[in-house]
Amino acid sequence: MVKLIVSLLVLAVVAQQAYGDFKCSLEVPEIPKGWMDLKDGCLNGMRHQIQEEINASYQYLAMGAYFARDSVNRPGFAETFFKSAKEEREHGSKLIEYLSMRGQLTDNVSNLINVPIVAKQEWKDGAAALEDALELETKVTRSIRKLIQTCEGKPYNHYHLVDYLTGVYLEEQLHGQRELAGKLTTLKKMMSTHGELGEFLFDKNL
């Protein structure tokens, strides 16, 4: 059910941006709202993190599309970045599912997700792209840490959310950063001795 809600939300964002604002004509019934206690700074931080994940997903899509060009033809890099784009999009979806669980998907969808404009769409080589990817992951990690600090501090103390972010998201981010750093080091070593052939061979093993 939650996945259906998320899918409908994404479709609603696209429709809203294409056709303008729209609202449901049904009156919202009155129910107790004491359980909806995720608010203020922590809620705003969650919304910001969702947008960060979507932004990262679009940037990775641009990377994958560039290396998939016939004039570039680095299928290993393309597959890696397309996979990363999917992972970032899934991260955003999971955060939306969490907001749904906490009763927070009641606002205009345009206030939750905005389609980003990808500024950079070309790279001089694979090493430059991996450097950008590592910087992107570092930015997302910092954003998650800031969100954790906000939600665990007074007056919020949302322990469940903090545990979720620390055990699921932060763990994956740290492993991802280390993996990217290792790949970048290996690629630079190969390119320093073999030039473009080194990048070609590295791409074949991604």
Side-chain angles (χ1 to χ4, degrees):
M1 175 62 70
V2 173
K3 290 184 177 180
L4 175 60
I5 293 174
V6 172
S7 298
L8 291 174
L9 178 61
V10 174
L11 289 174
V13 171
V14 175
Q16 192 275 337
Q17 293 179 345
Y19 303 107
D21 292 331
F22 57 92
K23 296 182 179 179
C24 178
S25 59
L26 296 178
E27 183 176 346
V28 179
E30 289 293 331
I31 62 173
K33 300 185 183 300
W35 65 281
M36 298 167 59
D37 59 351
L38 185 65
K39 57 185 67 175
D40 300 327
C42 189
L43 176 59
N44 292 334
M46 279 286 284
R47 289 174 172 270
H48 173 77
Q49 188 60 40
I50 290 171
Q51 189 63 56
E52 286 291 312
E53 302 289 350
I54 298 301
N55 292 347
S57 176
Y58 270 72
Q59 184 60 71
Y60 277 128
L61 278 175
M63 290 178 172
Y66 172 76
F67 286 98
R69 293 180 186 178
D70 63 285
S71 57
V72 180
N73 197 32
R74 290 287 187 264
F77 281 100
E79 182 179 356
T80 296
F81 291 134
F82 281 140
K83 180 181 177 181
S84 296
K86 180 182 178 182
E87 290 175 352
E88 298 298 334
R89 186 173 65 252
E90 289 175 347
H91 291 169
S93 295
K94 288 180 180 179
L95 292 178
I96 292 173
E97 290 177 10
Y98 189 91
L99 287 184
S100 175
M101 181 182 70
R102 301 294 295 271
Q104 297 297 336
L105 294 186
T106 58
D107 202 357
N108 190 312
V109 293
S110 63
N111 293 330
L112 182 61
I113 300 175
N114 292 311
V115 177
I117 298 176
V118 180
K120 191 171 183 179
Q121 301 187 26
E122 292 187 352
W123 291 262
K124 65 177 182 178
D125 53 36
L130 286 181
E131 286 182 357
D132 282 356
L134 182 55
E135 290 179 358
L136 183 60
E137 291 299 322
T138 302
K139 179 183 177 184
V140 173
T141 300
R142 287 173 180 163
S143 181
I144 293 174
R145 283 175 170 165
K146 184 177 180 180
L147 175 60
I148 291 172
Q149 291 173 349
T150 299
C151 294
E152 73 178 351
K154 296 180 180 179
Y156 309 112
N157 295 325
H158 292 294
Y159 301 119
H160 182 268
L161 174 57
V162 169
D163 183 66
Y164 179 65
L165 292 171
T166 304
V168 177
Y169 283 85
L170 196 55
E171 178 80 10
E172 184 175 337
Q173 285 296 128
L174 295 177
H175 281 291
Q177 287 176 181
R178 174 58 183 85
E179 183 179 357
L180 278 173
K183 287 180 177 178
L184 181 57
T185 298
T186 300
L187 175 57
K188 284 192 170 184
K189 288 180 177 179
M190 294 177 69
M191 292 180 67
S192 67
T193 55
H194 302 290
E196 291 186 2
L197 177 60
E199 180 182 277
F200 174 81
L201 294 174
F202 181 86
D203 177 79
K204 293 299 182 182
N205 289 280
L206 277 176

